[in-house]
Amino acid sequence: MRLKLTIEYDGTGFRGWARQPLERTVEGELRRALEELYGGVESLAVAGRTDTGVHALANVVSVDVAGGPPAGRAAEALNAALPDDVSVRRAEQAPDAFHARFDARARSYRYRVWRRRERSALEAKRSLWWPRPFDVAAADANVQALLGEHDFRAFTPTETQHDVFVRVVKDVRWVELDDDVVAFEITADSFLRHMVRTLVGTVLEGRDLAQLLEGRTRSDAGATAPPHGLYLTHVSY
């Protein structure tokens, strides 16, 4: 049967999603748990291949399994086999043709910024500490230029495997989550490598995003924000 798994993880202790020799990765831990429970594990795919240190609230995996717990018991069984920093929020049987990556229509990310003057021990690996003045309303007005279809090559590394740099942004905003935390939230059809983090770094530097779209070079944009403030929050199908 093909399973659709919705998973969350704290990316702090992982070398990203993708399995790598001698490295601890989210995919590696999930495969190990699946292979403990099922006699056959094939065709594992993920909606978002997150980088080292990036977190997920609801990443989505598709995988073919045989000879183990039914879909209704898969989440409980997998969570018993997974480490504390990865969990399956939901497991369900999916159609045989379902593919977590190729069937996704949009992905949503959030980047958290801790703006209190004093640093936080608890937020050290959860958000970017930014003790400088930050105008949320101005930042929100700035990012509205991203809505729609644009060329985002200024916001991804120059050396890249991407051939197409056009992406469609469906929703974008800066919001105040509480007195100390603000967040950049964005939904698009797909994302370039480091795109969200570079958008955040550019906004924090006070640069005008509208001037950096439609094919400007990477050197024109700002710094790439660190990974620990970034969360994959939702995948739409």
Side-chain angles (χ1 to χ4, degrees):
M1 80 180 156
R2 179 155 295 187
L3 287 176
K4 176 185 177 184
L5 306 175
T6 302
I7 63 172
E8 65 179 18
Y9 47 87
D10 178 341
T12 304
F14 293 105
R15 191 73 173 173
W17 163 265
R19 184 171 52 169
Q20 304 175 52
L22 305 179
E23 297 284 359
R24 185 172 186 260
T25 67
V26 183
E27 181 185 12
E29 292 291 350
L30 182 60
R31 282 184 180 274
R32 178 193 55 75
L34 286 163
E35 289 169 358
E36 285 183 14
L37 296 173
Y38 294 95
V41 177
E42 297 179 355
S43 304
L44 191 151
V46 68
R49 291 166 58 93
T50 50
D51 291 334
T52 298
V54 176
H55 317 291
L57 303 182
N59 208 344
V60 177
V61 170
S62 56
V63 60
D64 292 336
V65 295
R73 292 184 48 241
E76 181 181 4
L78 284 167
N79 284 334
L82 286 165
D84 291 343
D85 47 4
V86 189
S87 68
V88 177
R89 294 180 51 178
R90 184 168 61 255
E92 52 196 304
Q93 186 167 352
D96 291 344
F98 174 73
H99 192 283
R101 178 185 174 192
F102 297 137
D103 289 348
R105 294 292 174 260
R107 296 160 180 82
S108 300
Y109 284 88
R110 174 184 297 149
Y111 195 97
R112 288 168 51 92
V113 176
W114 178 261
R115 60 175 176 172
R116 196 172 69 190
R117 184 179 179 86
E118 301 77 22
R119 67 178 179 85
S120 168
L122 297 180
E123 291 282 341
K125 297 298 182 182
R126 300 286 184 275
S127 9
L128 169 64
W129 181 37
W130 191 259
R132 310 172 200 177
F134 183 71
D135 187 332
V136 179
D140 184 58
N142 191 5
V143 299
Q144 297 310 307
L146 304 177
L147 285 170
E149 183 175 282
H150 300 285
D151 185 323
F152 285 92
R153 73 184 66 210
F155 302 98
T156 194
T158 302
E159 294 183 6
T160 179
Q161 296 180 346
H162 293 293
D163 296 319
V164 178
F165 298 91
V166 173
R167 297 293 186 270
V168 179
V169 173
K170 302 182 178 185
D171 190 38
V172 63
R173 69 193 70 193
W174 276 90
V175 295
E176 297 190 62
L177 299 183
D178 58 39
D179 290 342
D180 296 319
V181 179
V182 297
F184 175 61
E185 299 183 342
I186 184 169
T187 299
D189 58 346
S190 63
F191 290 84
L192 301 170
R193 185 166 180 257
H194 295 175
M195 176 175 156
V196 179
R197 291 163 52 198
T198 307
L199 287 169
V200 170
T202 303
V203 170
L204 291 174
E205 292 179 13
R207 303 200 191 187
D208 184 357
L209 294 181
Q211 304 299 316
L212 297 171
L213 298 170
E214 317 311 348
R216 295 290 291 271
T217 65
R218 175 64 188 88
S219 61
D220 293 327
T224 301
H228 59 265
L230 184 61
Y231 300 72
L232 173 57
T233 59
H234 186 71
V235 182
S236 301
Y237 291 93

